[in-house]
Amino acid sequence: MLCTMTLLAAEASPARRDRDMRNPHAGEPFDTSDEQIAGALLDVSIPTLMLSLVHMSGDPELIRGRLKPAGLFLNEVQGYMTEEDKEEARGMALETIRHYRDGGCPEPEPISAELLHEMMAWLVCEDVPAEYVPMLMEEMGLDGSDARRLGAPGDEAAREAFPVVVIGCGQSGLLAGVRLKEAGIPFTIVEKNAGVGGTWWENSYPGARVDVGNHFYCYSFEPSDGWTEYFARQPELQAYFESVMTKHGIERHVRWETEVVGAAWDEGTATWSVRVRTKGGGQETLVARAVISAVGQLNRPHIPEIPGAGTFAGPAFHSARWDHAVDLTGKRVAMIGAGASGFQIAPTIAGDVEHLTVFQRTAQWMFPNPNYHAAVGPGVQWALRHLPFYGRWYRFLILWPGCDKGLAAARVDPDYPDQQRAVSELNELTRQMFTDWIVSQVGDDPDLIAKVIPDYPATGKRTLQDNGSWLRMLTRDNVDLVRTAIDHIETDAIVTVDGERHPADVIVYATGFHANRVLWPMEITGRDGVDLRSMWGERPAAYLGITVPGFPNLFCMYGPGTNLAHGGSLIFHSECQMRYIAQCLDELVVGGHRSMEPRQAKYEEWHDRSQREIKKLVWSQPSVKHSFFKNAHGEIHILSPWRLVDYWSWTKEPDLADFVVR
Ligand code: NAP
């Protein structure tokens, strides 16, 4: 494995030189003054900086001495180095960077695969198993290549005869567009909204921000050195997707404010007829040889049916349909639901409203993240822009702690005694850590502590992040946390089952999405008129989360069984899926085939295996009573139980033996 990578590194370098191109990750040359460099170094992640120095100097001894990170924790990017050690590292860095600058910022020579592996392990203070190295190398693209980009299949006429419709222009649909354009395959993206971003277009509620570090939560081939916060807010995320769309010239392929209502496969012509509702309400049909569904799992708002809800006199809206015309200042606001969305909304609005009542059915586990609202300083932005491979190593640094370790804490030890409390020894330790954080924030209010400590195992639902803002918000005088069930709603109040009236001028439903109704409400009809949703019933499935037998040339991104609750990022998953899909399309175009679909046995085996696996994980446990991961039968069909490295390797290349190709 390592030998292959040495070869790759060796091969990439002359090719780059031939093209006379600077590796895009080598940083832009600069003439920044010594003082400014010294200032920038005060901000940066020192362990990441030290790896950049190895590239600049070509000297691995820089990381073989006394100065090294002491440990790793998610979002802790200084590796627990002492202030003295960091200061010493900065001094060494200033000297190396000055030399590099004065030499004209030459593009660093490629580094051997063995040294890169050593650098990985050094940065994260543990062995990085060899099976992960190719995936990480690809994710970082240190040689400046984009291994997930594919060439154009077949000749132009063959490609022109293979139009593709992509449903949705969120992060996955936009990625599909970028890759299809690179492959020279004609495509149309149909998007129900008026702009790009999907989730990051629709969720404009106060406080909306991502909770995967942005220097990882972005396309591997489109890093940004301009993030203003480590966990960017919605406008900045939407602007990022807008910029990628513009840079790659995707906009002219998009039909905005047009919604796919259904699609039907015609075996005679081997085409999909995709029915759309246009902006003006008209109906149209687009004909395609293949369809890529990129509709996401979390965009059809769920509002529970609560008696009397229709009688409420004030404004009432869902978190993903925020009504910006409603001024909450001085209002009594009731927020029903407190999952990931509510966790962000409540702390943001609590200071403006007269009173906030938070109705939370189930307490949520959260882990401490002091950087959650932190700004990216100008020094870090300078380093990302100029220091060779700083951004690439930083990406790896925040990726690694969320790379399959969450699965270990989620795995059920059937012999662990108190399954309501924890599912394993490790899960119990996680519980302790999370509990300590919660208690440290709430102080000595036993009533509040009783309300905010969950009664199910840690990480049993989607774990949230807190920098103190949620728990601080709950201690405000103008905030009440209600854990009693709601009975009904009246014109100006919410009444709980204990008979208490909670007056409200505005209701915010932060009650989540119809996550289990996959591809709903579209009507997808496959071979012999089979309706996809009827076939699935409550158990949606797709081989590798991507293809379904009887539905030829239909490919899902972020399909059933691919949501992530244990780490990683959906953008990483989308890149795996799109590479796989692009290779399938390549096969269809080059081979002149009519269609491909997975073998029934393969599909069933995958689903059975995934179901067996997910039942061994905490999310499936009966102790977790309410969770959008579960369907009405308590089964989970939308989440991935698999390690990122496994999913990456399974989707790296389609095995044609898995398919019926006609
Ligand atoms: P959610 O996690 O499904 O939370 C919905 C909330 O509404 C929960 O508190 C739930 O209570 C409550 N609820 C639902 N039905 C109810 C009912 N009938 N009666 C009382 N309460 C009810 O939805 P979300 O907060 O919108 O988040 C959904 C997903 O979107 C997240 O898991 C995440 O994947 C994504 N998201 C991410 C971010 C981010 O990146 N920072 C932000 C927002 C959303 P129970 O807990 O008891 O079910």
Side-chain angles (χ1 to χ4, degrees):
M1 184 185 303
L2 292 179
C3 293
T4 317
M5 288 182 19
T6 312
L7 273 177
L8 281 177
E11 281 165 8
S13 178
R16 270 206 318 276
R17 287 199 194 104
D18 288 346
R19 294 200 309 273
D20 196 22
M21 271 177 58
R22 189 175 171 88
N23 182 324
H25 308 305
E28 294 166 18
F30 56 90
D31 56 7
T32 314
S33 72
D34 288 6
E35 292 69 29
Q36 286 171 318
I37 295 171
L41 298 185
L42 293 174
D43 274 357
V44 303
S45 153
I46 298 297
T48 313
L49 169 71
M50 288 180 67
L51 294 191
S52 178
L53 300 183
V54 174
H55 287 279
M56 273 181 256
S57 65
D59 181 4
E61 296 307 318
L62 292 179
I63 56 163
R64 290 177 180 157
R66 194 186 57 79
L67 293 180
K68 55 176 65 161
L72 178 73
F73 188 66
L74 195 60
N75 304 313
E76 159 45 58
V77 297
Q78 296 295 357
Y80 301 98
M81 289 175 75
T82 63
E83 282 312 313
E84 294 72 35
D85 282 0
K86 284 195 273 184
E87 200 42 44
E88 192 178 329
R90 286 190 196 101
M92 183 173 86
L94 187 55
E95 203 172 305
T96 306
I97 295 171
R98 192 190 291 136
H99 185 72
Y100 170 74
R101 176 199 62 195
D102 295 345
C105 304
E107 181 174 328
E109 287 298 315
I111 281 181
S112 75
E114 290 76 9
L115 178 54
L116 290 174
H117 194 173
E118 180 186 340
M119 290 161 78
M120 286 180 185
W122 181 89
L123 186 61
V124 298
C125 309
E126 63 184 17
D127 179 39
V128 173
E131 65 172 325
Y132 281 86
V133 175
M135 178 186 89
L136 297 166
M137 291 300 295
E138 185 187 294
E139 180 68 19
M140 290 200 286
L142 287 166
D143 64 2
S145 70
D146 175 3
R148 296 170 188 159
R149 175 190 177 138
L150 299 176
D155 59 29
E156 199 178 335
R159 294 195 297 272
E160 282 303 316
F162 205 91
V164 174
V165 164
V166 179
I167 311 174
C169 199
Q171 63 83 8
S172 59
L174 174 61
L175 171 68
V178 169
R179 294 312 194 192
L180 290 169
K181 184 148 188 255
E182 287 166 353
I185 294 176
F187 66 96
T188 302
I189 304 180
V190 183
E191 168 55 58
K192 67 179 167 25
N193 294 325
V196 65
T199 283
W200 299 116
W201 170 269
E202 294 181 2
N203 285 271
S204 62
Y205 60 74
R209 71 168 75 230
V210 68
D211 60 8
V212 177
N214 260 122
H215 299 94
F216 170 44
Y217 187 83
C218 57
Y219 300 118
S220 60
F221 57 94
E222 285 298 352
S224 167
D225 53 34
W227 297 114
T228 63
E229 293 175 291
Y230 289 99
F231 298 85
R233 281 180 266 196
Q234 177 264 343
E236 194 166 348
L237 287 155
Q238 201 275 328
Y240 168 79
F241 291 112
E242 189 107 32
S243 72
V244 173
M245 178 174 74
T246 305
K247 178 175 169 185
H248 290 265
I250 304 301
E251 180 151 22
R252 64 191 177 81
H253 298 267
V254 190
R255 300 270 310 261
W256 302 113
E257 295 181 86
T258 301
E259 183 165 357
V260 172
V261 291
W265 172 254
D266 180 351
E267 185 68 29
T269 56
T271 56
W272 282 98
S273 292
V274 181
R275 299 190 310 285
V276 303
R277 185 167 42 233
T278 60
K279 187 177 173 185
Q283 297 263 346
E284 240 182 81
T285 300
L286 310 177
V287 176
R289 291 293 312 280
V291 169
I292 299 176
S293 166
V295 297
Q297 287 189 3
L298 299 166
N299 62 10
R300 298 289 173 174
H302 158 73
I303 296 187
E305 286 178 17
I306 301 175
T311 67
F312 186 70
F317 46 84
H318 187 270
S319 54
R321 299 285 181 273
W322 196 268
D323 186 345
H324 292 276
V326 177
D327 182 2
L328 298 182
T329 315
K331 301 271 177 19
R332 296 168 303 176
V333 177
M335 186 180 83
I336 303 178
S341 302
F343 248 55
Q344 296 182 329
I345 294 168
T348 314
I349 64 172
D352 297 328
V353 302
E354 182 193 310
H355 193 270
L356 174 65
T357 313
V358 176
F359 294 86
Q360 187 181 48
R361 182 168 61 184
T362 311
Q364 307 281 337
W365 285 112
M366 67 200 84
F367 74 88
N369 178 3
N371 284 336
Y372 193 26
H373 293 179
V376 179
V380 172
Q381 289 181 337
W382 179 86
L384 287 163
R385 202 160 297 144
H386 296 297
L387 297 186
F389 308 104
Y390 179 93
R392 295 282 102 180
W393 285 108
Y394 191 74
R395 185 180 185 91
F396 166 62
L397 178 62
I398 52 177
L399 175 170
W400 183 250
C403 189
D404 300 339
K405 295 178 193 316
L407 271 182
R411 192 160 298 282
V412 176
D413 170 0
D415 297 327
Y416 197 76
D418 186 355
Q419 296 277 332
Q420 181 69 39
R421 184 182 158 83
V423 295
S424 69
E425 194 79 41
L426 181 58
N427 189 252
E428 171 65 27
L429 288 175
T430 310
R431 179 187 190 95
Q432 292 291 345
M433 182 183 69
F434 290 176
T435 304
D436 288 351
W437 165 254
I438 294 173
V439 172
S440 76
Q441 295 296 304
V442 174
D444 52 4
D445 178 345
D447 290 343
L448 189 52
I449 288 177
K451 283 181 179 175
V452 293
I453 304 282
D455 61 356
Y456 56 90
T459 74
K461 290 157 69 90
R462 189 173 185 279
T463 307
L464 307 176
Q465 314 211 22
D466 184 50
N467 60 349
S469 59
W470 168 260
L471 294 163
R472 252 197 323 274
M473 176 274 301
L474 291 178
T475 61
R476 291 178 64 101
D477 289 342
N478 70 334
V479 174
D480 284 328
L481 174 64
V482 177
R483 296 286 314 276
T484 312
I486 295 171
D487 184 73
H488 67 277
I489 296 177
E490 297 180 351
T491 52
D492 60 351
I494 292 182
V495 183
T496 40
V497 290
D498 55 6
E500 191 170 344
R501 288 184 94 254
H502 304 270
D505 305 312
V506 179
I507 297 178
V508 172
Y509 290 97
T511 43
F513 301 90
H514 289 283
N516 279 287
R517 301 174 86 174
V518 177
L519 302 192
W520 179 77
M522 295 186 298
E523 288 172 358
I524 312 279
T525 315
R527 180 178 295 111
D528 303 325
V530 174
D531 174 67
L532 182 56
R533 273 211 317 284
S534 310
M535 185 186 99
W536 275 343
E538 304 259 9
R539 298 178 171 88
Y543 176 50
L544 294 170
I546 302 174
T547 55
V548 185
F551 294 80
N553 299 1
L554 172 69
F555 302 94
C556 295
M557 299 182 73
Y558 194 5
T562 65
N563 200 354
L564 286 169
H566 65 78
S569 113
L570 289 173
I571 293 184
F572 169 82
H573 252 197
S574 294
E575 290 192 13
C576 293
Q577 289 149 10
M578 191 54 213
R579 168 167 54 187
Y580 183 92
I581 293 168
Q583 291 177 90
C584 290
L585 298 179
D586 187 300
E587 185 59 35
L588 287 164
V589 172
V590 174
H593 304 301
R594 290 166 60 79
S595 66
M596 66 191 295
E597 63 195 278
R599 294 186 185 282
Q600 184 73 28
K602 207 71 206 171
Y603 166 84
E604 286 173 10
E605 189 272 337
W606 165 262
H607 190 221
D608 290 349
R609 192 151 51 92
S610 298
Q611 282 299 297
R612 280 199 303 277
E613 193 66 17
I614 204 130
K615 289 187 174 119
K616 298 176 196 159
L617 299 169
V618 65
W619 315 306
S620 299
Q621 298 317 297
S623 50
V624 183
K625 292 192 190 60
H626 298 290
S627 157
F628 79 82
F629 296 157
K630 292 183 174 178
N631 69 10
H633 311 287
E635 301 166 351
I636 298 183
H637 295 272
I638 58 173
L639 279 190
S640 169
W642 304 114
R643 300 187 307 166
L644 299 184
V645 70
D646 289 327
Y647 193 70
W648 173 81
S649 86
W650 295 333
T651 53
K652 199 158 187 281
E653 201 178 335
D655 180 351
L656 287 184
D658 296 346
F659 290 89
V660 179
V661 181
R662 293 188 165 89

